[in-house]
Amino acid sequence: MTFSAILGTGRYLPQRVITNAELARTVDTSDEWIRSRTGIRQRYVAAENESTCDMAEQAALQAITASALAPADLDLIIVATSTPDLIYPSTACLLQKRLGIRNGGAAFDVQAVCSGFIYAASIADQFIRSGAARRALIVGADANSKILDWTDRSTCVLFGDGAGAVILGAAESPGIYVTRLHADGHYADLLQVPSGVSRPSADAHIRMHGSEVFKFAVNIMGELVGETLGVAGFDAADVDWLIPHQANERIITATARKLGLALERVIITVGEHGNTSAASIPLALDTGIRDGRIKRGELLLLEAVGGGFTWGSLLVRY
Ligand code: COA
């Protein structure tokens, strides 16, 4: 049997940091309010001329180096993003060109908002298990700052920009045990950017009913972790690290509590990064690996919920 294993990870955060105190000078908010409701202390914001593909490229190059591979070894590229550089070609095709790959394997984008990385990883896992690909680059990258209404205090304090990348390779043992993907489009109104190509509107900004999203996220994440472990035949006690989507520290804490997992076993980056949408899980994973907390052989549970609503999880032995 063939499984997918994590070969390497990488990340990119833009140079510019915006603290809560800086935001409080332009909108009616405070460092205390943002920290106590979300755990966020600061976020990184892309430069005006810096795009999602620019960030994805830096994260991808780091992941390729960490995997000791060359770009030509990759036969699948999936970019999870809701803020692509262009309507088309996909950011994955633009990235493939930046990496100098000619006549390569499949390259495409996945749009599942904050669950995008889990969706992309699950798709790549199925390519690898079936033998359709052997080495996949998965990038979660979002330039949320470009779709924020910087006068809306209920959203602009929450999000940030960045990119995280993971290379999955074919292996004889897990690797990924299981992935779970879900969606329910009936919740579309609760979190959306209400403009698009075939139905354009003047309001192309993130709009959210925060408290309803919060309640849904807490409930569904609690259910999802139980479902994932059940399907894979593991107990919560087997999990070494929870690597959740980084939207709000209170949602993360509630999920850890549900699992009975001490907060010391949870990678939490929301304080430094804010919510970077599709980039949040690979950024957190890379953080835990590079600072030495996550070690080879440990069992990692990744989970996310996002606009759609979409939600999903991935259980992997690192
Ligand atoms: N600064 C100060 N006050 C703010 C504020 C800000 N940045 N943003 C909102 N408020 C105000 C609201 O206007 C409201 O005031 P009112 O009671 O006078 O109307 C009050 O704070 C409480 O708002 P509420 O929405 O009930 O707060 P909350 O405890 O639910 O926290 C969120 C708000 C957004 C932090 C929280 O709902 C949340 O994290 N939701 C989920 C977000 C998320 O995960 N999104 C992405 C999913 S992928």
Side-chain angles (χ1 to χ4, degrees):
M1 246 174 113
T2 304
F3 298 91
S4 317
I6 296 175
L7 303 185
T9 63
R11 66 146 73 201
Y12 176 79
L13 290 160
Q15 268 192 335
R16 170 105 161 90
V17 173
I18 298 186
T19 62
N20 292 347
E22 188 178 344
L23 272 180
R25 291 201 284 274
T26 53
V27 284
D28 182 13
T29 189
S30 67
D31 179 46
E32 201 282 321
W33 192 96
I34 302 170
R35 276 182 200 239
S36 62
R37 302 294 175 113
T38 70
I40 297 169
R41 296 186 290 280
Q42 61 170 46
R43 68 287 296 142
Y44 293 80
V45 170
E48 207 170 322
N49 62 353
E50 192 169 40
S51 75
T52 295
C53 192
D54 293 334
M55 297 192 290
E57 180 184 1
Q58 296 308 317
L61 288 171
Q62 254 195 23
I64 291 167
T65 303
S67 310
L69 294 176
D73 297 327
L74 303 170
D75 51 10
L76 173 64
I77 299 177
I78 309 179
V79 175
T81 186
S82 305
T83 51
D85 285 29
L86 305 174
I87 291 167
Y88 60 76
S90 67
T91 308
C93 282
L94 303 180
L95 176 61
Q96 191 208 44
K97 178 186 173 197
R98 302 263 191 111
L99 297 175
I101 301 168
R102 297 304 304 255
N103 201 14
F108 56 91
D109 289 359
V110 165
Q111 209 270 49
V113 201
C114 297
S115 311
F117 178 79
I118 299 285
Y119 268 61
S122 176
I123 295 166
D125 178 45
Q126 306 198 37
F127 268 69
I128 290 172
R129 279 175 190 264
S130 72
R134 287 197 60 79
R135 291 196 179 101
L137 166 65
I138 316 151
V139 185
D142 267 308
N144 288 311
S145 62
K146 319 259 179 188
I147 50 168
L148 277 175
D149 174 354
W150 288 95
T151 66
D152 176 7
R153 69 177 183 174
S154 72
T155 52
C156 76
V157 304
L158 302 175
F159 293 90
D161 300 339
V166 171
I167 295 188
L168 290 178
E172 282 167 14
S173 57
I176 295 179
Y177 289 100
V178 69
T179 65
R180 309 295 296 165
L181 301 182
H182 295 284
D184 188 339
H186 288 90
Y187 294 103
D189 291 346
L190 295 184
L191 175 53
Q192 62 175 224
V193 177
S195 181
V197 180
S198 62
R199 189 172 288 174
S201 118
D203 185 13
H205 301 107
I206 299 174
R207 300 296 176 200
M208 180 170 69
H209 296 272
S211 56
E212 279 138 273
V213 176
F214 185 92
K215 277 179 235 145
F216 181 87
V218 168
N219 287 332
I220 210 72
M221 287 301 98
E223 273 178 35
L224 182 65
V225 290
E227 173 195 331
T228 310
L229 292 169
V231 168
F234 283 97
D235 290 325
D238 298 320
V239 175
D240 292 301
W241 292 101
L242 177 66
I243 305 169
H245 172 49
Q246 309 283 323
N248 183 316
E249 202 168 291
R250 290 188 292 145
I251 301 174
I252 294 172
T253 309
T255 310
R257 202 177 301 128
K258 176 94 185 178
L259 268 173
L261 205 64
L263 277 184
E264 294 71 47
R265 308 307 289 173
V266 185
I267 305 290
I268 303 179
T269 53
V270 67
E272 286 76 45
H273 301 168
N275 180 350
T276 57
S277 294
S280 100
I281 288 182
L283 274 171
L285 175 65
D286 184 75
T287 299
I289 289 173
R290 278 179 201 270
D291 69 20
R293 276 179 290 172
I294 298 174
K295 298 190 177 53
R296 283 285 174 193
E298 290 186 322
L299 191 66
L300 319 181
L301 178 55
L302 284 53
E303 44 88 355
V305 55
F309 286 143
T310 57
W311 60 103
S313 61
L314 188 160
L315 188 71
V316 60
R317 193 167 297 286
Y318 174 56

PDB file of all heavy atoms in Angstrom, residues 28-29 33 37-38 114 153-154 157-158 191 208 210-211 213-214 245 247-248 250-251 275 305-306, ligand 1:
ATOM      1  N   ASP A  28     -12.178  52.067  15.843  1.00  0.00           N
ATOM      2  CA  ASP A  28     -12.581  52.153  17.249  1.00  0.00           C
ATOM      3  C   ASP A  28     -12.444  50.775  17.908  1.00  0.00           C
ATOM      4  O   ASP A  28     -13.400  50.006  17.993  1.00  0.00           O
ATOM      5  CB  ASP A  28     -14.036  52.649  17.307  1.00  0.00           C
ATOM      6  CG  ASP A  28     -14.505  52.815  18.739  1.00  0.00           C
ATOM      7  OD1 ASP A  28     -13.643  52.795  19.645  1.00  0.00           O
ATOM      8  OD2 ASP A  28     -15.725  52.944  18.943  1.00  0.00           O
ATOM      9  N   THR A  29     -11.210  50.458  18.308  1.00  0.00           N
ATOM     10  CA  THR A  29     -10.950  49.182  18.971  1.00  0.00           C
ATOM     11  C   THR A  29      -9.827  49.389  19.968  1.00  0.00           C
ATOM     12  O   THR A  29      -9.333  50.513  20.136  1.00  0.00           O
ATOM     13  CB  THR A  29     -10.598  48.081  17.946  1.00  0.00           C
ATOM     14  OG1 THR A  29     -10.549  46.828  18.595  1.00  0.00           O
ATOM     15  CG2 THR A  29      -9.265  48.345  17.236  1.00  0.00           C
ATOM     16  N   TRP A  33      -9.347  44.654  23.839  1.00  0.00           N
ATOM     17  CA  TRP A  33     -10.531  43.991  23.250  1.00  0.00           C
ATOM     18  C   TRP A  33     -10.077  42.865  22.312  1.00  0.00           C
ATOM     19  O   TRP A  33     -10.565  41.738  22.406  1.00  0.00           O
ATOM     20  CB  TRP A  33     -11.401  45.002  22.468  1.00  0.00           C
ATOM     21  CG  TRP A  33     -12.757  44.428  22.105  1.00  0.00           C
ATOM     22  CD1 TRP A  33     -13.919  44.581  22.789  1.00  0.00           C
ATOM     23  CD2 TRP A  33     -13.065  43.580  20.973  1.00  0.00           C
ATOM     24  NE1 TRP A  33     -14.935  43.881  22.177  1.00  0.00           N
ATOM     25  CE2 TRP A  33     -14.442  43.256  21.061  1.00  0.00           C
ATOM     26  CE3 TRP A  33     -12.336  43.054  19.913  1.00  0.00           C
ATOM     27  CZ2 TRP A  33     -15.093  42.451  20.121  1.00  0.00           C
ATOM     28  CZ3 TRP A  33     -12.987  42.233  18.981  1.00  0.00           C
ATOM     29  CH2 TRP A  33     -14.341  41.946  19.096  1.00  0.00           C
ATOM     30  N   ARG A  37     -10.736  38.857  23.185  1.00  0.00           N
ATOM     31  CA  ARG A  37     -11.731  38.116  22.384  1.00  0.00           C
ATOM     32  C   ARG A  37     -11.128  37.100  21.436  1.00  0.00           C
ATOM     33  O   ARG A  37     -11.801  36.165  21.033  1.00  0.00           O
ATOM     34  CB  ARG A  37     -12.563  39.098  21.527  1.00  0.00           C
ATOM     35  CG  ARG A  37     -13.308  40.161  22.279  1.00  0.00           C
ATOM     36  CD  ARG A  37     -14.407  39.575  23.146  1.00  0.00           C
ATOM     37  NE  ARG A  37     -15.023  40.611  23.946  1.00  0.00           N
ATOM     38  CZ  ARG A  37     -16.274  41.032  23.794  1.00  0.00           C
ATOM     39  NH1 ARG A  37     -17.036  40.483  22.882  1.00  0.00           N
ATOM     40  NH2 ARG A  37     -16.754  41.983  24.557  1.00  0.00           N
ATOM     41  N   THR A  38      -9.853  37.323  21.029  1.00  0.00           N
ATOM     42  CA  THR A  38      -9.298  36.488  19.951  1.00  0.00           C
ATOM     43  C   THR A  38      -7.917  35.911  20.248  1.00  0.00           C
ATOM     44  O   THR A  38      -7.517  34.935  19.601  1.00  0.00           O
ATOM     45  CB  THR A  38      -9.143  37.307  18.645  1.00  0.00           C
ATOM     46  OG1 THR A  38      -8.082  38.253  18.827  1.00  0.00           O
ATOM     47  CG2 THR A  38     -10.419  38.052  18.292  1.00  0.00           C
ATOM     48  N   CYS A 114     -10.828  29.028   4.659  1.00  0.00           N
ATOM     49  CA  CYS A 114      -9.886  28.669   5.723  1.00  0.00           C
ATOM     50  C   CYS A 114      -9.643  27.163   5.824  1.00  0.00           C
ATOM     51  O   CYS A 114      -8.670  26.741   6.443  1.00  0.00           O
ATOM     52  CB  CYS A 114     -10.353  29.228   7.057  1.00  0.00           C
ATOM     53  SG  CYS A 114     -10.390  31.034   7.065  1.00  0.00           S
ATOM     54  N   ARG A 153     -14.260  47.364  12.013  1.00  0.00           N
ATOM     55  CA  ARG A 153     -13.500  46.837  13.155  1.00  0.00           C
ATOM     56  C   ARG A 153     -13.851  45.389  13.476  1.00  0.00           C
ATOM     57  O   ARG A 153     -13.082  44.698  14.147  1.00  0.00           O
ATOM     58  CB  ARG A 153     -13.735  47.701  14.395  1.00  0.00           C
ATOM     59  CG  ARG A 153     -15.148  47.594  14.946  1.00  0.00           C
ATOM     60  CD  ARG A 153     -15.310  48.406  16.213  1.00  0.00           C
ATOM     61  NE  ARG A 153     -16.654  48.215  16.755  1.00  0.00           N
ATOM     62  CZ  ARG A 153     -17.058  48.693  17.910  1.00  0.00           C
ATOM     63  NH1 ARG A 153     -16.227  49.417  18.637  1.00  0.00           N
ATOM     64  NH2 ARG A 153     -18.281  48.479  18.338  1.00  0.00           N
ATOM     65  N   SER A 154     -15.033  44.944  13.009  1.00  0.00           N
ATOM     66  CA  SER A 154     -15.428  43.570  13.344  1.00  0.00           C
ATOM     67  C   SER A 154     -14.687  42.536  12.490  1.00  0.00           C
ATOM     68  O   SER A 154     -14.709  41.349  12.801  1.00  0.00           O
ATOM     69  CB  SER A 154     -16.943  43.393  13.209  1.00  0.00           C
ATOM     70  OG  SER A 154     -17.321  43.399  11.853  1.00  0.00           O
ATOM     71  N   VAL A 157      -9.548  43.492  12.319  1.00  0.00           N
ATOM     72  CA  VAL A 157      -8.609  43.151  13.399  1.00  0.00           C
ATOM     73  C   VAL A 157      -8.248  41.659  13.402  1.00  0.00           C
ATOM     74  O   VAL A 157      -7.328  41.247  14.116  1.00  0.00           O
ATOM     75  CB  VAL A 157      -9.187  43.536  14.786  1.00  0.00           C
ATOM     76  CG1 VAL A 157      -9.555  45.016  14.828  1.00  0.00           C
ATOM     77  CG2 VAL A 157     -10.394  42.685  15.160  1.00  0.00           C
ATOM     78  N   LEU A 158      -8.994  40.870  12.618  1.00  0.00           N
ATOM     79  CA  LEU A 158      -8.891  39.408  12.754  1.00  0.00           C
ATOM     80  C   LEU A 158      -7.902  38.754  11.791  1.00  0.00           C
ATOM     81  O   LEU A 158      -7.368  37.687  12.096  1.00  0.00           O
ATOM     82  CB  LEU A 158     -10.264  38.758  12.529  1.00  0.00           C
ATOM     83  CG  LEU A 158     -11.400  39.225  13.453  1.00  0.00           C
ATOM     84  CD1 LEU A 158     -12.712  38.597  13.025  1.00  0.00           C
ATOM     85  CD2 LEU A 158     -11.078  38.874  14.899  1.00  0.00           C
ATOM     86  N   LEU A 191     -20.378  34.138   6.337  1.00  0.00           N
ATOM     87  CA  LEU A 191     -18.980  34.529   6.135  1.00  0.00           C
ATOM     88  C   LEU A 191     -18.735  34.544   4.638  1.00  0.00           C
ATOM     89  O   LEU A 191     -18.735  33.491   3.997  1.00  0.00           O
ATOM     90  CB  LEU A 191     -18.056  33.517   6.840  1.00  0.00           C
ATOM     91  CG  LEU A 191     -16.541  33.685   6.650  1.00  0.00           C
ATOM     92  CD1 LEU A 191     -16.079  35.083   6.998  1.00  0.00           C
ATOM     93  CD2 LEU A 191     -15.799  32.656   7.487  1.00  0.00           C
ATOM     94  N   MET A 208     -18.724  39.238   7.850  1.00  0.00           N
ATOM     95  CA  MET A 208     -18.884  38.080   8.734  1.00  0.00           C
ATOM     96  C   MET A 208     -19.843  38.377   9.876  1.00  0.00           C
ATOM     97  O   MET A 208     -19.832  39.465  10.428  1.00  0.00           O
ATOM     98  CB  MET A 208     -17.507  37.716   9.318  1.00  0.00           C
ATOM     99  CG  MET A 208     -17.533  36.538  10.250  1.00  0.00           C
ATOM    100  SD  MET A 208     -15.886  35.981  10.681  1.00  0.00           S
ATOM    101  CE  MET A 208     -15.339  37.338  11.668  1.00  0.00           C
ATOM    102  N   GLY A 210     -19.817  37.405  13.159  1.00  0.00           N
ATOM    103  CA  GLY A 210     -18.783  36.805  14.003  1.00  0.00           C
ATOM    104  C   GLY A 210     -19.283  35.828  15.039  1.00  0.00           C
ATOM    105  O   GLY A 210     -18.761  34.713  15.157  1.00  0.00           O
ATOM    106  N   SER A 211     -20.322  36.212  15.789  1.00  0.00           N
ATOM    107  CA  SER A 211     -20.708  35.339  16.904  1.00  0.00           C
ATOM    108  C   SER A 211     -21.338  34.047  16.389  1.00  0.00           C
ATOM    109  O   SER A 211     -21.165  32.987  17.001  1.00  0.00           O
ATOM    110  CB  SER A 211     -21.623  36.064  17.883  1.00  0.00           C
ATOM    111  OG  SER A 211     -22.736  36.547  17.205  1.00  0.00           O
ATOM    112  N   VAL A 213     -20.545  32.560  13.484  1.00  0.00           N
ATOM    113  CA  VAL A 213     -19.416  31.759  12.991  1.00  0.00           C
ATOM    114  C   VAL A 213     -18.714  31.097  14.178  1.00  0.00           C
ATOM    115  O   VAL A 213     -18.371  29.915  14.144  1.00  0.00           O
ATOM    116  CB  VAL A 213     -18.415  32.635  12.195  1.00  0.00           C
ATOM    117  CG1 VAL A 213     -17.195  31.816  11.778  1.00  0.00           C
ATOM    118  CG2 VAL A 213     -19.084  33.246  10.975  1.00  0.00           C
ATOM    119  N   PHE A 214     -18.554  31.866  15.225  1.00  0.00           N
ATOM    120  CA  PHE A 214     -17.877  31.370  16.428  1.00  0.00           C
ATOM    121  C   PHE A 214     -18.592  30.131  16.974  1.00  0.00           C
ATOM    122  O   PHE A 214     -17.965  29.089  17.214  1.00  0.00           O
ATOM    123  CB  PHE A 214     -17.842  32.481  17.486  1.00  0.00           C
ATOM    124  CG  PHE A 214     -17.076  32.127  18.714  1.00  0.00           C
ATOM    125  CD1 PHE A 214     -15.723  32.427  18.814  1.00  0.00           C
ATOM    126  CD2 PHE A 214     -17.688  31.493  19.782  1.00  0.00           C
ATOM    127  CE1 PHE A 214     -15.003  32.097  19.949  1.00  0.00           C
ATOM    128  CE2 PHE A 214     -16.980  31.153  20.918  1.00  0.00           C
ATOM    129  CZ  PHE A 214     -15.637  31.461  21.001  1.00  0.00           C
ATOM    130  N   HIS A 245      -6.765  25.287  12.754  1.00  0.00           N
ATOM    131  CA  HIS A 245      -6.864  26.558  12.045  1.00  0.00           C
ATOM    132  C   HIS A 245      -6.793  27.685  13.076  1.00  0.00           C
ATOM    133  O   HIS A 245      -7.395  27.601  14.142  1.00  0.00           O
ATOM    134  CB  HIS A 245      -8.183  26.615  11.268  1.00  0.00           C
ATOM    135  CG  HIS A 245      -8.437  27.964  10.675  1.00  0.00           C
ATOM    136  ND1 HIS A 245      -7.486  28.644   9.938  1.00  0.00           N
ATOM    137  CD2 HIS A 245      -9.526  28.772  10.718  1.00  0.00           C
ATOM    138  CE1 HIS A 245      -7.988  29.800   9.552  1.00  0.00           C
ATOM    139  NE2 HIS A 245      -9.213  29.906  10.014  1.00  0.00           N
ATOM    140  N   ALA A 247      -7.921  30.920  13.939  1.00  0.00           N
ATOM    141  CA  ALA A 247      -8.854  32.040  13.761  1.00  0.00           C
ATOM    142  C   ALA A 247      -9.043  32.781  15.075  1.00  0.00           C
ATOM    143  O   ALA A 247      -9.115  34.016  15.092  1.00  0.00           O
ATOM    144  CB  ALA A 247     -10.196  31.539  13.248  1.00  0.00           C
ATOM    145  N   ASN A 248      -9.159  32.016  16.157  1.00  0.00           N
ATOM    146  CA  ASN A 248      -9.484  32.621  17.438  1.00  0.00           C
ATOM    147  C   ASN A 248      -9.004  31.665  18.540  1.00  0.00           C
ATOM    148  O   ASN A 248      -9.340  30.483  18.519  1.00  0.00           O
ATOM    149  CB  ASN A 248     -11.014  32.815  17.511  1.00  0.00           C
ATOM    150  CG  ASN A 248     -11.431  33.518  18.784  1.00  0.00           C
ATOM    151  OD1 ASN A 248     -10.945  33.216  19.874  1.00  0.00           O
ATOM    152  ND2 ASN A 248     -12.339  34.466  18.637  1.00  0.00           N
ATOM    153  N   ARG A 250      -9.927  31.299  21.445  1.00  0.00           N
ATOM    154  CA  ARG A 250     -11.002  30.692  22.249  1.00  0.00           C
ATOM    155  C   ARG A 250     -11.583  29.467  21.551  1.00  0.00           C
ATOM    156  O   ARG A 250     -11.993  28.504  22.198  1.00  0.00           O
ATOM    157  CB  ARG A 250     -12.087  31.728  22.541  1.00  0.00           C
ATOM    158  CG  ARG A 250     -11.606  32.813  23.517  1.00  0.00           C
ATOM    159  CD  ARG A 250     -12.755  33.703  23.943  1.00  0.00           C
ATOM    160  NE  ARG A 250     -13.240  34.521  22.845  1.00  0.00           N
ATOM    161  CZ  ARG A 250     -14.509  34.879  22.650  1.00  0.00           C
ATOM    162  NH1 ARG A 250     -15.451  34.452  23.460  1.00  0.00           N
ATOM    163  NH2 ARG A 250     -14.833  35.650  21.641  1.00  0.00           N
ATOM    164  N   ILE A 251     -11.644  29.489  20.202  1.00  0.00           N
ATOM    165  CA  ILE A 251     -12.119  28.309  19.459  1.00  0.00           C
ATOM    166  C   ILE A 251     -11.099  27.180  19.625  1.00  0.00           C
ATOM    167  O   ILE A 251     -11.446  26.019  19.855  1.00  0.00           O
ATOM    168  CB  ILE A 251     -12.322  28.636  17.956  1.00  0.00           C
ATOM    169  CG1 ILE A 251     -13.340  29.759  17.767  1.00  0.00           C
ATOM    170  CG2 ILE A 251     -12.729  27.377  17.172  1.00  0.00           C
ATOM    171  CD1 ILE A 251     -13.509  30.243  16.323  1.00  0.00           C
ATOM    172  N   ASN A 275      -5.553  35.550  11.629  1.00  0.00           N
ATOM    173  CA  ASN A 275      -6.138  34.490  10.800  1.00  0.00           C
ATOM    174  C   ASN A 275      -5.639  34.664   9.361  1.00  0.00           C
ATOM    175  O   ASN A 275      -6.032  35.615   8.683  1.00  0.00           O
ATOM    176  CB  ASN A 275      -7.668  34.586  10.871  1.00  0.00           C
ATOM    177  CG  ASN A 275      -8.368  33.518  10.028  1.00  0.00           C
ATOM    178  OD1 ASN A 275      -7.730  32.819   9.241  1.00  0.00           O
ATOM    179  ND2 ASN A 275      -9.664  33.407  10.190  1.00  0.00           N
ATOM    180  N   VAL A 305     -12.036  25.079   9.906  1.00  0.00           N
ATOM    181  CA  VAL A 305     -13.383  25.424   9.461  1.00  0.00           C
ATOM    182  C   VAL A 305     -13.272  26.782   8.774  1.00  0.00           C
ATOM    183  O   VAL A 305     -12.456  27.607   9.162  1.00  0.00           O
ATOM    184  CB  VAL A 305     -14.386  25.454  10.644  1.00  0.00           C
ATOM    185  CG1 VAL A 305     -13.926  26.379  11.745  1.00  0.00           C
ATOM    186  CG2 VAL A 305     -15.792  25.836  10.183  1.00  0.00           C
ATOM    187  N   GLY A 306     -14.070  26.981   7.731  1.00  0.00           N
ATOM    188  CA  GLY A 306     -13.981  28.242   7.011  1.00  0.00           C
ATOM    189  C   GLY A 306     -15.228  28.554   6.223  1.00  0.00           C
ATOM    190  O   GLY A 306     -16.219  27.816   6.276  1.00  0.00           O
TER     191      GLY A 306
HETATM  192  N1  COA B   1     -13.162  46.300  18.868  1.00  0.00           N
HETATM  193  C1  COA B   1     -14.062  46.658  19.804  1.00  0.00           C
HETATM  194  N2  COA B   1     -15.340  46.240  19.760  1.00  0.00           N
HETATM  195  C2  COA B   1     -15.693  45.427  18.755  1.00  0.00           C
HETATM  196  C3  COA B   1     -14.796  45.023  17.772  1.00  0.00           C
HETATM  197  C4  COA B   1     -13.485  45.488  17.840  1.00  0.00           C
HETATM  198  N3  COA B   1     -12.536  45.157  16.954  1.00  0.00           N
HETATM  199  N4  COA B   1     -15.437  44.210  16.900  1.00  0.00           N
HETATM  200  C5  COA B   1     -16.700  44.107  17.331  1.00  0.00           C
HETATM  201  N5  COA B   1     -16.863  44.850  18.444  1.00  0.00           N
HETATM  202  C6  COA B   1     -18.057  45.024  19.274  1.00  0.00           C
HETATM  203  C7  COA B   1     -19.310  44.701  18.519  1.00  0.00           C
HETATM  204  O1  COA B   1     -19.718  45.834  17.779  1.00  0.00           O
HETATM  205  C8  COA B   1     -20.263  44.370  19.646  1.00  0.00           C
HETATM  206  O2  COA B   1     -20.727  45.583  20.172  1.00  0.00           O
HETATM  207  P1  COA B   1     -22.293  45.750  20.595  1.00  0.00           P
HETATM  208  O3  COA B   1     -22.508  44.688  21.640  1.00  0.00           O
HETATM  209  O4  COA B   1     -22.327  47.140  21.111  1.00  0.00           O
HETATM  210  O5  COA B   1     -23.034  45.523  19.336  1.00  0.00           O
HETATM  211  C9  COA B   1     -19.371  43.759  20.714  1.00  0.00           C
HETATM  212  O6  COA B   1     -18.036  44.091  20.340  1.00  0.00           O
HETATM  213  C10 COA B   1     -19.490  42.250  20.856  1.00  0.00           C
HETATM  214  O7  COA B   1     -19.468  41.648  19.607  1.00  0.00           O
HETATM  215  P2  COA B   1     -19.573  40.098  19.479  1.00  0.00           P
HETATM  216  O8  COA B   1     -19.602  39.780  18.033  1.00  0.00           O
HETATM  217  O9  COA B   1     -20.666  39.567  20.359  1.00  0.00           O
HETATM  218  O10 COA B   1     -18.204  39.641  20.140  1.00  0.00           O
HETATM  219  P3  COA B   1     -17.653  38.178  20.260  1.00  0.00           P
HETATM  220  O11 COA B   1     -17.365  37.885  21.679  1.00  0.00           O
HETATM  221  O12 COA B   1     -18.475  37.194  19.493  1.00  0.00           O
HETATM  222  O13 COA B   1     -16.263  38.294  19.510  1.00  0.00           O
HETATM  223  C11 COA B   1     -15.334  37.800  17.363  1.00  0.00           C
HETATM  224  C12 COA B   1     -16.233  38.718  18.180  1.00  0.00           C
HETATM  225  C13 COA B   1     -15.355  38.246  15.916  1.00  0.00           C
HETATM  226  C14 COA B   1     -13.931  37.905  17.903  1.00  0.00           C
HETATM  227  C15 COA B   1     -15.830  36.360  17.503  1.00  0.00           C
HETATM  228  O14 COA B   1     -17.209  36.321  17.252  1.00  0.00           O
HETATM  229  C16 COA B   1     -15.146  35.416  16.581  1.00  0.00           C
HETATM  230  O15 COA B   1     -13.983  35.153  16.722  1.00  0.00           O
HETATM  231  N6  COA B   1     -15.897  34.833  15.648  1.00  0.00           N
HETATM  232  C17 COA B   1     -15.377  33.830  14.757  1.00  0.00           C
HETATM  233  C18 COA B   1     -14.437  34.461  13.801  1.00  0.00           C
HETATM  234  C19 COA B   1     -13.814  33.453  12.947  1.00  0.00           C
HETATM  235  O16 COA B   1     -13.327  32.461  13.430  1.00  0.00           O
HETATM  236  N7  COA B   1     -13.799  33.722  11.659  1.00  0.00           N
HETATM  237  C20 COA B   1     -13.140  32.985  10.692  1.00  0.00           C
HETATM  238  C21 COA B   1     -13.644  31.613  10.585  1.00  0.00           C
HETATM  239  S1  COA B   1     -12.605  30.827   9.469  1.00  0.00           S
END
